[in-house]
Amino acid sequence: MATLAQTEQDFTRLPDLPAEVFTAPLKKPDRVGDDWLEPEQTQYSSDDDAIWNDLFERQMKVLPGRAASAFMAGLDKLDLSRGGVPEFGRLSEELDTLTGWSVVPVPMLIPDHVFFWHLANRRFPAGNFIRTRETFDYIQEPDVFHDVFGHVPMLTDPVYADYMQEYGRAGWKAMRYNRLKALGSLYWYTVEFGLLQEADGIKAYGAGILSGPTEVVYATEAKSPNRIMLNVDRVMRTDYVISDLQPTYFVIESFEDLYRQTVERDFDQLYKSLGPGFTYANTAVIDVDHVVNHGSLEYTLRGGRGSGAAPV
């Protein structure tokens, strides 16, 4: 198997991870190979399907008018309202016709280099499990609802689909520079928690927003968070919140704008200029920012989720 250093442009083979590249250690289940793909998709029960349907119905009460038009169109193109957990084979056939992507089942969060490899080959790894009724409102590890409902409709948009593939290709370069935290921040503030300026207002396209009922309203309408136009160099120096609503969101003008700012950026030079940690707090507004909304940060300053503060 080739090493990362030898295969910058060869995405056909899964690379070895050199010892000098620092990533989170993950224990691979015995049933999966080096690609971390499950042998087959879980056979979901009627109770599981009911959880999917209830989650879907809850989101559809809040998403119209707040979700990006490309996301809403993607829901229709893939007919995700047909009921029950989608079957990956059928979903992949439909997605392949539209943008050449597929959806593949994985048991859990997977190693960075494997995740990047799948994206580089237009495969989206989706959790092969669904949350329980006890974890209905919040689950730490992404499940099939977050991954398929939140992420996959956006992959029907050709430009966004190309961005995701390029992100996967960029991942191996980030690992060689040990700058995964910086690239992870870009993923967080675009793919997971990105906002888009549309003609009739700011809409959400990030899966972390779209798959949660509270965050989609908070991210697009609340006075607390900062909303700042995307600047890739700035974003990759910015810390983020994992287990609460974001103090800051970044806004793109279009998916073409997102593609230009990332794919056409010289990341070699950027990584050489970055430190190993973050420069800016997740609450910061700095002098180079093009600010859409300078937030009050009330929710964050009151203590966030743990304090019971209202997401206003």
Side-chain angles (χ1 to χ4, degrees):
M1 195 179 296
T3 67
L4 286 170
Q6 295 170 324
T7 61
E8 180 169 351
Q9 300 301 320
D10 181 7
F11 301 104
T12 61
R13 295 173 293 168
L14 180 65
D16 286 327
L17 192 62
E20 65 271 16
V21 175
F22 306 138
T23 63
L26 296 173
K27 181 174 175 55
K28 180 167 65 69
D30 293 338
R31 66 181 181 275
V32 301
D34 290 339
D35 60 8
W36 282 68
L37 295 185
E38 292 271 30
E40 60 184 2
Q41 186 183 6
T42 293
Q43 297 298 308
Y44 290 101
S45 68
S46 59
D47 289 341
D48 295 330
D49 285 335
I51 290 173
W52 171 282
N53 293 340
D54 289 347
L55 288 165
F56 188 97
E57 181 180 2
R58 182 173 71 172
Q59 289 310 106
M60 295 312 295
K61 291 178 180 177
V62 295
L63 288 180
R66 298 183 177 103
S69 56
F71 176 83
M72 299 302 289
L75 287 177
D76 291 338
K77 290 174 184 176
L78 299 174
D79 193 19
L80 287 185
S81 63
R82 65 179 67 135
V85 179
E87 196 274 313
F88 285 7
R90 178 177 176 178
L91 191 60
S92 294
E93 289 178 7
E94 296 165 341
L95 200 54
D96 180 60
T97 300
L98 293 167
T99 58
W101 276 77
S102 64
V103 182
V104 292
V106 293
M108 52 187 281
L109 288 174
I110 62 177
D112 292 308
H113 71 296
V114 182
F115 180 68
F116 294 142
W117 179 65
H118 285 305
L119 294 187
N121 287 281
R122 298 178 91 90
R123 294 186 296 265
F124 190 81
N128 203 21
F129 63 98
I130 193 164
R131 69 194 69 182
T132 64
R133 289 289 176 187
E134 290 71 29
T135 57
F136 191 84
D137 293 326
Y138 177 74
I139 185 170
Q140 285 190 321
E141 189 169 355
D143 68 342
V144 68
F145 185 79
H146 169 85
D147 284 338
V148 172
F149 180 88
H151 285 284
V152 172
M154 287 303 310
L155 293 174
T156 65
D157 182 90
V159 178
Y160 184 85
D162 287 346
Y163 168 73
M164 287 292 285
Q165 181 179 32
E166 293 298 334
Y167 184 91
R169 291 174 172 175
W172 294 3
K173 180 178 290 186
M175 284 190 287
R176 282 193 297 277
Y177 283 99
N178 274 316
R179 291 297 179 264
L180 282 177
K181 285 180 69 68
L183 191 67
S185 191
L186 178 63
Y187 189 90
W188 193 262
Y189 282 118
T190 60
V191 178
E192 290 291 353
F193 293 96
L195 297 177
L196 168 68
Q197 180 70 64
E198 293 193 348
D200 58 344
I202 287 180
K203 307 294 178 63
Y205 72 90
I209 302 174
L210 295 167
S211 58
T214 301
E215 189 129 16
V216 70
V217 178
Y218 175 84
T220 58
E221 298 176 7
K223 295 180 180 179
S224 286
N226 301 312
R227 298 180 188 91
I228 299 169
M229 297 305 293
L230 180 72
N231 176 311
V232 169
D233 289 36
R234 190 264 207 251
V235 163
M236 293 180 73
R237 292 174 165 86
T238 305
D239 200 359
Y240 50 88
V241 175
I242 293 177
S243 57
D244 207 339
L245 304 176
Q246 303 301 307
T248 298
Y249 298 91
F250 290 90
V251 185
I252 59 172
E253 296 178 0
S254 65
F255 296 122
E256 289 81 5
D257 171 53
L258 174 63
Y259 190 90
R260 284 193 302 271
Q261 286 202 53
T262 52
V263 177
E264 297 178 8
R265 178 69 169 88
D266 182 352
F267 275 74
D268 285 286
Q269 291 302 315
L270 177 57
Y271 288 142
K272 290 175 183 177
S273 69
L274 291 176
F278 291 121
T279 305
Y280 306 120
N282 50 47
T283 56
V285 175
I286 62 176
D287 55 359
V288 300
D289 287 339
H290 178 180
V291 180
V292 180
N293 178 68
H294 197 146
S296 67
L297 298 178
E298 177 181 342
Y299 173 77
T300 301
L301 294 174
R302 287 187 182 278
R305 178 179 288 127
S307 70
V312 295

